[in-house]
Amino acid sequence: MPAKMQLTKGNEALAMGAIAGGCDCFFGYPITPQNEVPEVLSYEMPKRGRVFVQAESEVASINMVYGAAAAGKRAMTSSSSPGVSLMMEGLSYIACAELPCLIVNVMRGGPGLGSITPSQGDYFQACKGGGHGDYHSVVLAPWNVQEMYEFPALAFELADRYRCPAMLLADGVLGAMMEPAEISDDAPPPNVPEKPWATNGRNGRAHKNVVNSLVIDPYGLRDHNLKLQAKYKAMECETRWDTRDVDDAEILVVAYGISARLALSGCKLARKKGIKAGLLRPITLFPFPSKQIAECARNKKRILVVELSAGQMVEDVRLAVNGDVPVDFYGEMGGVIPSPAEVCEKIVEAAQ
Amino acid sequence: MTTAMNSQDGMKKQNGGSVAAEDLVDLKCVFERPQSLSDKPFHYCPGCSHGTYHRLIAEMIDEFGFMDRTVGICPVGCAVFAYEYFETDMIEASHGRAPAVATGVKRALPDRFVFTYQGDGDLASIGMGEIIHAAARGERITVFFVNNGIFGMTGGQMAPTSLIGQKTTTSVDGRDARATGHPIRVCELLSNLEGVAYMARVALTSPKNINTCRKYMRKAIRAQTEDVGLGLVEVLSPCPVQWGMSPGDALHHIEEDVVKEFPPGEFVDKLADPVKA
Ligand SMILES: Cc1ncc(C[n+]2csc(CCOP(=O)(O)OP(=O)(O)O)c2C)c(N)n1
Ligand code: SF4
Ligand SMILES: [Mg+2]
């Protein structure tokens, strides 16, 4: 059946997107607000002869992902903030062992048990490593249900290309909202590159393969770190971003995910009031569109960063413009979502 | 002992010297390194049985003809470098999570032979959750479990399997049950779970016991290959260094004391066994 427009919930789109993206194995532990992901996959995966396991914990989930990814399969897990925190040791191992896989975080309010309401409070964890040691995941931030469907495939593709974990950073609104989206039930299988490094049994191979994150020799570990860092640098060409009405804008709003939706509405309201505002939306949070933000900010009066956090991505925006343009911040926490009118108000304030 | 067994250089030296190569032509090879064991010398302390168990695993992989379709998962513990000693594909897991990693591999590749190798800190302390649930799910994996009653690698701290009264670096006056609880008997604990197809414990202290161990290992492997459930063999193993004993005394200690807390034998056997029937 070809892709058709259907009214779809974000989490369900994500689950179908994982299937379209060639996910062979899903391992996960239930947590709100992403439960539809494992629920849908629990029947859609076995139907297609693929693997679904409800793990006993997020610690187990991420280590099952480690095993299946080491075996050369497209493997993923999905969770929300507290569960993703539990995965950090495993993620660090995966990054060091250079295994491609997908981790979904449908973020909820924190810290602690927090709430089940939407949040963007895990930006630091997602983009700065999160677990121990110097590593990064590719981080993709969808802003609508269509991207919830499309990004798992993109995430797997980038993960395979760079042999690194990819994270899809969504939030409780994107997971729960319903929108028309073009979804296919039987997308053609994606092209998956050969994985000659996989530990899948030698099967005639002249040498054994080892998947490992232990490098006991200091120079060896330094060299491995340098290799990882070179890879992160090379990823810069994968940077993705989107701009709306920025050319003539005096105020540049920078926001990702659901905040970008609110910010775009806020910009439109501001234009009605005669203030020229435009939006830059980072789509990859790692690699971060620093150059693009700096370039776009060049002739702007001020930048306003909008997040559902106390101010996390704003630090990267400030680093990007390096003091050339003043950067304001507007954030809400705990699941409180600002209205477009409130964003507009902040744009008006910035313009004065 | 194990180092010499595994070292090709050692063998060459023994066989070499002044003996001419042609004089050796008629000699029959009676003992050699299993194909699945690499020629890398073990790093284990003298008197440790990690190397012995490695060799037994490699023998089994050869015997079953699995070298080409095995994926092994090593622990964090003294056996952390086990991936260097086997000629099969190997994965190094995080501390305690080998059963979850093995689950990922086995579900992804059901026709491969998947084993974990785990110490008692790895399996019975930090990784207790993962082994219980892998066993409950009846994962078709084989677990080679080394119980030496101590955290060998980190310097001899108390393990959940340390005996009452055992002196360790975190129980310097001897393990006190009131403060630290009682030893966990893994086989007894897991044998309640339906997913376990085979489980046995043996003290790795004598040639006779090593033969018994081979017998148990065969069944723990068949539990997987015959699609019955999880197989596990626990070996009571010496850690002379962290126990502060000579290798000989350490073996006696197992045979005298450790077996009282951890009785050897078969705990679960769901294989249709003609000998038993
Ligand atoms: C998450 C984590 N916690 C702690 C450690 C430190 N650590 C390494 S090995 C080990 C204990 C190993 O004991 P055991 O499993 O009994 O193996 P043995 O060395 O005795 O063979 C510990 C606590 C670690 N590597 N990772
Ligand atoms: S510390 Fe103990 S377990 Fe570790 S290698 Fe030495 S004897 Fe073996
Ligand atoms: Mg131990």
Side-chain angles (χ1 to χ4, degrees):
Chain A
M1 190 186 63
K4 62 169 193 210
M5 274 309 228
Q6 356 182 350
L7 193 62
T8 312
K9 199 171 185 173
N11 284 333
E12 290 168 1
L14 197 152
M16 294 315 292
I19 285 174
C23 176
D24 299 300
C25 304
F26 177 93
F27 308 95
Y29 186 79
I31 183 169
T32 309
Q34 61 79 57
N35 288 323
E36 293 85 355
V37 179
E39 282 166 5
V40 168
L41 291 176
S42 72
Y43 55 85
E44 293 291 351
M45 292 289 275
K47 222 159 69 177
R48 292 165 170 80
R50 305 191 200 179
V51 173
F52 171 89
V53 177
Q54 179 168 325
E56 63 270 29
S57 70
E58 291 85 353
V59 173
S61 305
I62 193 72
N63 284 287
M64 290 175 186
V65 167
Y66 181 82
K73 300 292 183 177
R74 282 197 163 171
M76 73 176 282
T77 184
S78 170
S79 186
S80 179
S81 309
V84 177
S85 290
L86 269 181
M87 296 184 191
M88 285 301 127
E89 185 203 21
L91 189 59
S92 170
Y93 273 63
I94 285 170
C96 187
E98 300 191 89
L99 295 179
C101 65
L102 169 59
I103 293 99
V104 173
N105 183 356
V106 182
M107 288 181 283
R108 59 187 251 179
L113 192 52
S115 75
I116 57 168
T117 48
S119 162
Q120 294 180 321
D122 303 346
Y123 176 93
F124 283 152
Q125 185 193 60
C127 299
K128 307 296 176 185
H132 57 288
D134 288 302
Y135 76 90
H136 288 284
S137 313
V138 167
V139 184
L140 296 173
W143 80 331
N144 59 21
V145 172
Q146 188 64 46
E147 288 186 350
M148 291 286 268
Y149 174 73
E150 286 168 6
F151 280 10
L154 174 62
F156 275 125
E157 191 188 313
L158 293 172
D160 277 341
R161 188 173 306 152
Y162 292 96
R163 285 190 59 185
C164 69
M167 189 176 273
L168 201 150
L169 198 63
D171 64 75
V173 182
L174 284 168
M177 74 195 288
M178 291 187 83
E179 282 188 316
E182 219 170 280
I183 307 273
S184 168
D185 280 347
D186 56 358
N191 283 328
V192 180
E194 293 284 317
K195 299 182 178 177
W197 47 263
T199 46
N200 50 5
R202 288 175 60 164
N203 198 21
R205 201 188 320 113
H207 58 90
K208 68 173 176 184
N209 280 341
V210 174
V211 164
N212 180 23
S213 72
L214 175 64
V215 190
I216 206 80
D217 166 50
Y219 293 101
L221 184 55
R222 180 195 58 184
D223 290 348
H224 186 61
N225 267 288
L226 289 172
K227 179 185 169 202
L228 293 179
Q229 293 304 317
K231 184 162 86 173
Y232 302 140
K233 189 94 187 111
M235 280 177 192
E236 276 173 20
C237 65
E238 307 291 350
T239 307
R240 283 160 197 252
W241 72 100
D242 184 17
T243 54
R244 305 288 168 109
D245 309 324
V246 291
D247 290 345
D248 67 338
E250 49 179 329
I251 304 296
L252 177 67
V253 182
V254 182
Y256 72 94
I258 197 63
S259 295
R261 296 278 287 268
L262 302 164
L264 183 59
S265 303
C267 288
K268 285 184 176 147
L269 289 179
R271 279 191 182 257
K272 280 188 190 148
K273 294 191 175 179
I275 296 165
K276 287 181 187 143
L279 171 75
L280 188 149
R281 169 174 79 103
I283 296 173
T284 52
L285 299 180
F286 190 92
F288 190 70
S290 303
K291 281 188 199 121
Q292 293 77 11
I293 290 172
E295 214 160 276
C296 190
R298 211 170 278 152
N299 53 358
K300 307 289 181 270
K301 196 168 149 193
R302 288 187 93 84
I303 292 177
L304 173 69
V305 176
V306 181
E307 293 178 65
L308 300 185
S309 78
Q312 299 191 15
M313 183 181 72
V314 65
E315 291 191 2
D316 287 333
V317 175
R318 289 202 170 110
L319 280 172
V321 298
N322 199 17
D324 288 349
V325 185
V327 179
D328 299 322
F329 175 72
Y330 175 42
E332 288 286 2
M333 287 173 281
V336 176
I337 297 169
S339 67
E342 284 167 315
V343 177
C344 172
E345 224 169 87
K346 299 291 172 185
I347 295 171
V348 173
E349 272 171 34
Q352 269 147 21
Chain B
M1 179 187 83
T2 49
T3 306
M5 253 190 209
N6 188 37
S7 158
Q8 258 191 344
D9 290 349
M11 306 251 291
K12 268 187 212 135
K13 270 180 213 128
Q14 283 160 30
N15 293 343
S18 58
V19 186
E22 50 271 25
D23 294 339
L24 296 174
V25 168
D26 291 336
L27 294 183
K28 208 173 104 196
C29 177
V30 292
F31 188 79
E32 61 185 342
R33 179 168 49 81
Q35 208 196 344
S36 303
L37 200 65
S38 76
D39 61 1
K40 179 137 184 137
F42 291 135
H43 69 282
Y44 301 113
C45 310
C48 177
S49 8
H50 272 305
T52 314
Y53 208 18
H54 285 9
R55 185 190 158 95
L56 293 177
I57 293 167
E59 280 180 8
M60 286 296 142
I61 294 171
D62 283 6
E63 185 179 311
F64 280 83
F66 284 169
M67 192 173 104
D68 241 19
R69 44 178 286 227
T70 294
V71 183
I73 294 124
C74 359
V76 177
C78 279
V80 71
F81 289 119
Y83 57 82
E84 302 215 345
Y85 303 135
F86 293 100
E87 284 298 334
T88 59
D89 279 1
M90 296 295 293
I91 301 174
E92 171 26 53
S94 57
H95 193 23
R97 316 303 175 199
V101 176
T103 298
V105 177
K106 187 70 184 183
R107 296 291 183 120
L109 303 167
D111 62 346
R112 305 307 197 276
F113 172 64
V114 179
F115 76 88
T116 72
Y117 186 99
Q118 302 183 257
D120 47 335
D122 195 80
L123 182 144
S125 195
I126 195 167
M128 188 55 111
E130 282 72 23
I131 189 62
I132 286 188
H133 285 275
R137 287 192 304 268
E139 292 297 339
R140 273 37 173 182
I141 61 172
T142 305
V143 178
F144 298 117
F145 170 38
V146 180
N147 178 0
N148 57 12
I150 203 148
F151 286 11
M153 186 196 212
T154 38
Q157 297 83 5
M158 192 188 73
T161 41
S162 296
L163 303 183
I164 300 300
Q166 186 177 334
K167 288 189 173 146
T168 73
T169 58
T170 50
S171 60
V172 287
D173 295 325
R175 182 174 185 179
D176 167 23
R178 183 71 185 83
T180 64
H182 292 265
I184 294 177
R185 299 188 193 102
V186 168
C187 284
E188 287 82 342
L189 186 73
L190 296 182
S191 57
N192 275 329
L193 299 169
E194 287 300 326
V196 176
Y198 184 79
M199 183 135 41
R201 177 187 292 135
V202 59
L204 222 47
T205 49
S206 65
K208 179 169 170 281
N209 285 354
I210 286 173
N211 263 334
T212 304
C213 187
R214 286 195 181 96
K215 205 174 76 189
Y216 292 170
M217 291 169 81
R218 263 177 215 116
K219 290 200 200 172
I221 292 169
R222 282 178 48 213
Q224 173 176 174
T225 55
E226 292 172 22
D227 198 27
V228 191
L230 182 133
L232 182 150
V233 178
E234 170 177 352
V235 296
L236 302 177
S237 174
C239 178
V241 169
Q242 310 295 7
W243 291 358
M245 293 179 190
S246 72
D249 288 349
L251 294 181
H252 285 132
H253 172 62
I254 294 177
E255 289 183 339
E256 296 292 310
D257 307 309
V258 178
V259 294
K260 289 189 189 127
E261 186 65 46
F262 298 104
E266 293 179 289
F267 291 81
V268 180
D269 185 355
K270 292 181 185 159
L271 297 160
D273 186 343
V275 180
K276 216 177 88 188

